[in-house]
Amino acid sequence: YYAKVAARHKERAVDFVSDILLNSKFDEKEIEKERGVIIEEMNMYQDNPMAYVGELFEKLLYGDQPAGRLTIGTKEAVTGADRQKFLDYFKKLYLSKNAVVCMAGNISEKDSKDLVEKYLDKFLQGESIEKKKVIEKQDKSDILLYTKKTDQTHLCLGVRAYDMYSKKRHALQLLSIILGGSMSSRLFTEIREKRGLAYYVRATADLYTDSGYLVMQAGVRNDQAKEAVQVTLEQFKKIRDERVPEKELYKAKEFVKGKTLIGLESSDEKAMFYSLQEILKNKIEDVKTKFEKIDAVTVDDLQDVAQDIFVNNKLNLAVIGPFKDKSVFLKNLNI
């Protein structure tokens, strides 16, 4: 729950955000109206393969457990949620023990504390429910095929990796940048620039509290989907088997640092940068410390991570396109 306002309106912002957060009525009529809004949002994402394929990739990785379910939920859950379920959920999770308030901008520490004490003193007390630990189990490469009549095939091809606390997280992030984090990255060069297979192609490292993965995503012509998968697998194998040049690692480090600094030029991004660390890690790492850890990553660290993650029993492919038989992809899904 957030607001970004001119500094002179900071108290009003805290006032209305806290009011929304702590004093919502959960009016039955409003809940009923919102059902339709959420279901149409679901329909919108399912009609957008570029957005939906990422959701399917996590479903493939984690299956029928919280980490593998859509954040937005199911239509059955949305239509079946009554006012009491909202109230029960609120009482279980909206507790002072779970709450973090972060203010960034032209405001002093004293003013921040005064505003919190004035407007957020009604937070409920109690013990929150624990998040269920992610269970990961895989013994061979796997695929999830979502058959849909489309002009373009959208795919996510990636591997299980590390959580946000891992000492290998910075090396993993740099690997994703080298593979597909910029317009000079390997996958962008091989898939778009050399072969013209895709308009968009990217790779990212997504890290959660007890799981994580590295994934590439692209949208390609239907008859070139298998080629795009094969080229990606070749790049996974290459970065696993051959040491990354020092110059390429240096460029990736500077890219990460530059992107971080540009993002932190806005007050809301500063608030997000620090508050998420407090919420998820109970520890705040400043920019200088983060950059020191990034600079400490070596070529050997990259290869160590690549050799650990780019193996068949961590490899997964999610596809949205006009295909009916996943064996078309599965038979060549190995590195």
Side-chain angles (χ1 to χ4, degrees):
Y1 298 81
Y2 62 90
K4 183 174 183 177
V5 299
R8 66 181 182 276
H9 297 311
K10 54 183 173 283
E11 181 166 0
R12 181 179 294 182
V14 177
D15 183 7
F16 69 67
V17 170
S18 64
D19 192 38
I20 291 169
L21 179 62
L22 300 178
N23 301 317
S24 290
K25 296 190 298 181
F26 299 107
D27 186 274
E28 196 71 68
K29 292 181 181 178
E30 294 301 319
I31 291 173
E32 197 59 43
K33 284 193 292 185
E34 193 64 22
R35 292 187 211 279
V37 175
I38 296 172
I39 288 172
E40 287 311 309
E41 184 181 3
M42 290 180 183
N43 292 335
M44 177 183 72
Y45 282 117
Q46 289 178 10
D47 279 346
N48 182 355
M50 185 176 173
Y52 193 49
V53 70
E55 302 279 8
L56 294 180
F57 183 75
E58 291 197 344
K59 180 179 180 181
L60 172 61
L61 282 181
Y62 304 121
D64 188 20
Q65 57 179 320
R69 298 172 193 149
L70 298 182
T71 304
I72 200 170
T74 64
K75 291 181 180 180
E76 293 76 17
V78 171
T79 55
D82 57 20
R83 182 173 185 271
Q84 190 57 50
K85 286 186 178 179
F86 276 80
L87 294 173
D88 292 343
Y89 183 86
F90 185 87
K91 290 175 183 177
K92 285 180 180 178
L93 288 170
Y94 282 65
L95 305 171
S96 59
K97 257 191 173 179
N98 281 348
V100 171
V101 181
C102 184
M103 301 184 194
N106 185 15
I107 186 169
S108 69
E109 182 179 355
K110 182 181 183 305
D111 286 347
S112 298
K113 289 182 177 180
D114 289 344
L115 289 173
V116 169
E117 289 174 1
K118 181 176 180 180
Y119 292 103
L120 290 157
D121 64 336
K122 294 182 181 177
F123 251 113
L124 297 174
Q125 305 295 314
E127 294 295 326
S128 177
I129 57 175
E130 289 293 322
K131 173 185 177 293
K132 290 184 178 179
K133 186 173 177 57
V134 172
I135 299 171
E136 298 203 62
K137 184 179 179 181
Q138 185 174 357
D139 54 17
K140 60 182 179 179
S141 56
D142 202 2
I143 181 171
L144 189 158
L145 178 62
Y146 185 85
T147 303
K148 185 179 179 69
K149 186 178 180 181
T150 57
D151 294 326
Q152 189 180 53
T153 296
H154 293 263
L155 56 94
C156 279
L157 176 57
V159 290
R160 298 176 189 271
Y162 314 116
D163 62 39
M164 64 175 59
Y165 308 114
S166 171
K167 292 181 179 179
K168 297 181 179 182
R169 67 186 184 279
H170 295 300
L172 180 70
Q173 182 185 20
L174 291 167
L175 268 182
S176 73
I177 297 300
I178 292 168
L179 281 168
S182 71
M183 293 180 72
S184 62
S185 63
R186 295 185 180 191
L187 288 171
F188 193 95
T189 300
E190 292 294 327
I191 291 178
R192 173 171 158 156
E193 299 302 295
K194 288 186 179 180
R195 294 173 173 80
L197 298 179
Y199 171 71
Y200 86 92
V201 54
R202 56 177 176 259
T204 57
D206 289 286
L207 283 66
Y208 300 122
T209 54
D210 56 354
S211 65
Y213 55 84
L214 184 152
V215 64
M216 72 76 69
Q217 182 177 339
V220 300
R221 211 170 71 192
N222 293 330
D223 62 351
Q224 294 177 325
K226 288 188 291 182
E227 183 181 355
V229 169
Q230 193 58 45
V231 172
T232 301
L233 292 173
E234 289 169 1
Q235 290 302 313
F236 285 178
K237 186 175 187 300
K238 181 179 179 181
I239 207 166
R240 179 192 68 187
D241 297 343
E242 299 176 18
R243 289 166 61 85
V244 172
E246 290 281 0
K247 186 177 180 180
E248 194 173 13
L249 174 56
Y250 174 78
K251 282 175 60 180
K253 290 178 179 180
E254 291 304 301
F255 180 87
V256 171
K257 291 188 285 185
K259 190 174 182 180
T260 300
L261 290 173
I262 290 170
L264 291 176
E265 287 179 354
S266 63
S267 57
D268 51 335
E269 285 298 322
K270 278 185 181 292
M272 193 66 71
F273 178 78
Y274 291 111
S275 61
L276 281 179
Q277 291 185 72
E278 177 65 26
I279 291 169
L280 299 176
K281 299 180 180 180
N282 294 317
K283 180 182 178 182
I284 292 179
E285 183 178 271
D286 61 22
V287 176
K288 180 183 177 183
T289 304
K290 178 179 178 178
F291 287 178
E292 287 172 350
K293 291 181 178 179
I294 289 171
D295 284 331
V297 175
T298 66
V299 169
D300 288 338
D301 293 331
L302 289 188
Q303 193 165 38
D304 175 61
V305 169
Q307 289 177 349
D308 182 35
I309 66 175
F310 291 124
V311 292
N312 288 338
N313 64 350
K314 294 182 180 179
L315 188 63
N316 293 275
L317 171 66
V319 179
I320 296 179
F323 304 97
K324 296 181 179 179
D325 184 2
K326 66 181 182 180
S327 64
V328 172
F329 297 97
L330 193 56
K331 62 184 178 181
N332 295 316
L333 195 62
N334 59 79
I335 42 180

